[in-house]
Structure formats: structure tokens, C-alpha cells
Amino acid sequence: MTLVVARLINNEIFVVADTKFTISHEGKPPSSRRNIVTQAEQYFGGLKVIILFPGLFVAFANEISFAKDAVEKIYDKKINLIHKDRAIDYFFDQHCKSQYQTDFIIGFICNSDNNPENFEKEIVKISEGHIERGKNVAYIGDKDAFTKFQNYSLLKELKHPSPNFTLRRLGKESNPDFQQNLTNSIHAIDQVIRDPEIPTVDGVCTTLTSENNEFRYMESMEFFGKPIPIKKEPNSPVYFGGAAEGSDNRQIGAYLVPGVGVFSVFLDSGKFGVIYNPAESFNPEIVHCDSMEEFAKSIKKRTDEAIEKIKIYQESQFL
């Protein structure tokens, strides 16, 4: 299944989600058993919150195959996603084709009708055969996981093991209410991911926010292991060592461009990175490399390709 949670606070949006793909065909009609997910997709999961344009994202939960149909090669399908109502109709149609087994959350940043210089944000939820517009809070996925998420968002302490040290660029210093809720939600989804009682939610935490009137993924760096003091003195800086010391680190969402649906995860101990680009393929790309700097070259290549596809699509809509 999965868990995706979106919130609109003070005209700004954030979304948190996991990356696990749950494959289950038990009790499903034959029509929903197509487009079987590959072993690589099951192991590395997938990006469930996908930026399609700077002002449009879509997130999905539950049955994967119809989300895959909807999103893969979307720029080649001649669908008018520029118009808000048509974008909603498109994903509602996919929801109906799945017999309500694939749910969606869509986020928009659009010019205000009253003042084109202002931008308005909106969250739309598509679930159980209904379209719900103007949501301040929306979730799709595992109901039990969302209940846990709500509980964890109120807790200060960590119940389940987490990285020893995490760096994140939160931003939004001028919007403290938004920033606090974002911090609590990242903490909560991270705890749900690590909760053994919720096997349907796993992988890494992916976070999307609206910033400068476009959607972007949040970057983070996680360190695992025992901190090692650099000097034998109080308040000494520490480092976490490497694989030999039983330590590891991973960089999530590094070297990404705002407004583009390419996401990355680099695992230092394994010397490989994963690039997610669902609008091109749900199958994640595995890149073997010796360093994050080397991995960044592959990220840039895929990002440049995605930007060109978006540009061609947008130009075709105005012909």
C-alpha cells in the first residue's frame, strides 16, 4: 500500500510519503493484474509524489499498475494537463478505470483569477469514486499507518531507531507554523516507516514543498553509526567513519532542480545511487559510482532530459 500525507498551511503546501511498492494481486480482478512491477521496483520502491510541472504534482497510493499507466510517458499522451479541471478529470478517469483501487492527490499552484500576479495553491484528493477539492489536509494509503502518523506527529521522542544525525534544508523561516508542521510530519512519517507493525510503509521519506511558487523536493543527508570524536576533548567535532567502523550515510534528493520530477538517493557504503523518474519509467535507474559527485553527473543528465520533455510538451499545448 503506502502512505502519502499532504497539507496546505498559510497558502503553502507540503507532502510527505514513503517509497515502498506493495505488490498484491490476491482477490484482484484480472484487469488489474497487468503491468506487473519488476523485481527492481519492488526492492528499491518508487517515487509516489511526482512533480509534472513546476505548478503541478500528483501522488498515488494502493494499486500501482493504473498509476503506472497514468504517469509513465505522460508527456507523450497529448493530454492537457495545463488546465486544472482537465488534469483532475484525467486522474479521476484513471481512478475509475482501476475500480477505485488507485487513489490520487493532486497539488496545484496557479495564478489567482482576481489578481494574476498572486498565486493560489490547492490540494485535490481522488478516492472512493469522489473528487474532493480545496483540501487543507489529505491522505491516501494505509488507514492504520495514517493513525500512527497522527500519533507520532504529537510525540517529541523517537520510538523507533532513526539515523544518528540528519541534515535537512527546511526553509520557510518566515512561515513558522508551516515549518513546525512540516518538521512534525517528517518526524512522523519517518517513525511510521520504521514501525514494524506497519509493513505496508517502508523505504525512505520523500518530502515535497511549495517554494517560490513552484514545487520542489527536499534534500536531506542521514548518518548511521557511532559518532567518533575527532579530538579527545569536550565538545569535540565528531565524524561517523565508514563501512569499516559500521557506519553509513545516504543522501536523499541531492542535486535536484525545482519543478522537475526527478528524485535521487545515494548510498555511500554501497557506492551506488538510485534515480527515480516516473514520468519516463517507473523502473528506477541504478547507477554504480564511487562518489556522490560522480552520481551527480547522471542526475544532471536525466534532469536535463526531463526539462527538455516538459518544454516540448508545454510548447505543444499552446500551438
Side-chain angles (χ1 to χ4, degrees):
M1 196 172 276
T2 193
L3 179 63
V4 179
V5 182
R7 291 201 64 178
L8 174 65
I9 300 174
N10 298 332
N11 200 36
E12 296 289 358
I13 290 173
F14 72 77
V15 187
V16 294
D18 71 317
T19 56
K20 180 176 181 177
F21 275 176
T22 303
I23 313 301
S24 174
H25 299 301
E26 185 177 352
K28 300 286 181 67
S31 61
S32 72
R33 298 179 186 176
R34 50 200 171 82
N35 293 336
I36 302 301
V37 176
T38 67
Q39 288 184 335
E41 290 170 329
Q42 293 183 54
Y43 183 77
F44 292 105
L47 186 64
K48 301 173 184 177
V49 185
I50 304 154
I51 298 173
L52 297 175
F53 302 113
L56 172 66
F57 78 79
V58 63
F60 67 89
N62 304 330
E63 177 60 47
I64 296 170
S65 63
F66 289 91
K68 186 174 182 178
D69 275 355
V71 174
E72 267 192 353
K73 309 295 183 184
I74 194 167
Y75 304 121
D76 300 330
K77 296 181 179 181
K78 312 300 181 184
I79 303 158
N80 186 341
L81 298 171
I82 305 296
H83 192 280
K84 183 189 291 188
D85 289 339
R86 294 186 184 180
I88 294 171
D89 288 345
Y90 172 70
F91 287 107
F92 182 69
D93 183 55
Q94 302 300 314
H95 172 66
C96 293
K97 286 180 180 178
S98 75
Q99 301 179 30
Y100 308 155
Q101 296 302 304
T102 303
D103 296 336
F104 296 100
I105 290 175
I106 314 171
F108 297 95
I109 301 176
C110 301
N111 295 97
S112 170
D113 292 333
N114 298 326
N115 185 352
E117 294 184 359
N118 292 335
F119 290 85
E120 296 177 345
K121 283 86 171 180
E122 184 179 9
I123 294 172
V124 178
K125 178 179 177 178
I126 298 175
S127 180
E128 298 181 336
H130 300 288
I131 299 172
E132 299 178 65
R133 300 189 62 161
K135 301 286 289 182
N136 290 325
V137 181
Y139 90 91
I140 50 177
D142 190 320
K143 184 177 180 180
D144 292 336
F146 182 64
T147 299
K148 288 261 189 176
F149 173 89
Q150 291 177 302
N151 293 336
Y152 285 133
S153 66
L154 300 175
L155 295 176
K156 299 295 183 182
E157 69 276 6
L158 297 175
K159 184 176 180 181
H160 302 288
S162 290
N164 297 79
F165 188 69
T166 303
L167 291 173
R168 286 190 177 93
R169 177 189 174 277
L170 291 174
K172 305 296 183 186
E173 290 82 1
S174 62
N175 194 342
D177 188 33
F178 179 92
Q179 189 182 67
Q180 185 60 57
N181 278 278
L182 172 59
T183 301
N184 292 345
S185 294
I186 291 173
H187 163 83
I189 192 73
D190 182 72
Q191 288 294 285
V192 173
I193 286 172
R194 301 173 196 284
D195 191 329
E197 296 180 0
I198 306 293
T200 59
V201 179
D202 206 344
V204 300
C205 169
T206 57
T207 307
L208 172 148
T209 64
S210 57
E211 186 170 321
N212 297 325
N213 295 317
E214 60 184 354
F215 292 116
R216 65 179 299 157
Y217 297 114
M218 180 178 293
E219 179 181 355
S220 65
M221 181 178 292
E222 299 178 343
F223 297 87
F224 302 81
K226 184 179 179 180
I228 303 170
I230 294 176
K231 298 180 180 180
K232 294 182 178 180
E233 59 184 44
N235 301 318
S236 169
V238 300
Y239 71 102
F240 288 86
E245 291 84 5
S247 300
D248 195 9
N249 70 78
R250 61 186 183 187
Q251 298 184 52
I252 301 171
Y255 294 97
L256 302 184
V257 174
V260 180
V262 176
F263 191 78
S264 67
V265 178
F266 178 72
L267 294 92
D268 186 64
S269 63
K271 299 302 179 187
F272 73 91
V274 185
I275 299 177
Y276 300 94
N277 184 11
E280 184 62 26
S281 172
F282 263 41
N283 191 11
E285 179 182 359
I286 313 303
V287 181
H288 296 278
C289 45
D290 292 327
S291 66
M292 185 66 216
E293 290 71 23
E294 184 182 345
F295 182 45
K297 297 176 183 178
S298 296
I299 299 173
K300 184 179 185 306
K301 181 180 179 181
R302 294 293 172 255
T303 301
D304 288 346
E305 292 170 352
I307 291 172
E308 184 63 21
K309 284 237 174 188
I310 293 172
K311 180 181 177 182
I312 293 172
Y313 171 82
Q314 290 177 321
E315 289 175 348
S316 71
Q317 294 300 305
F318 293 105
L319 292 177

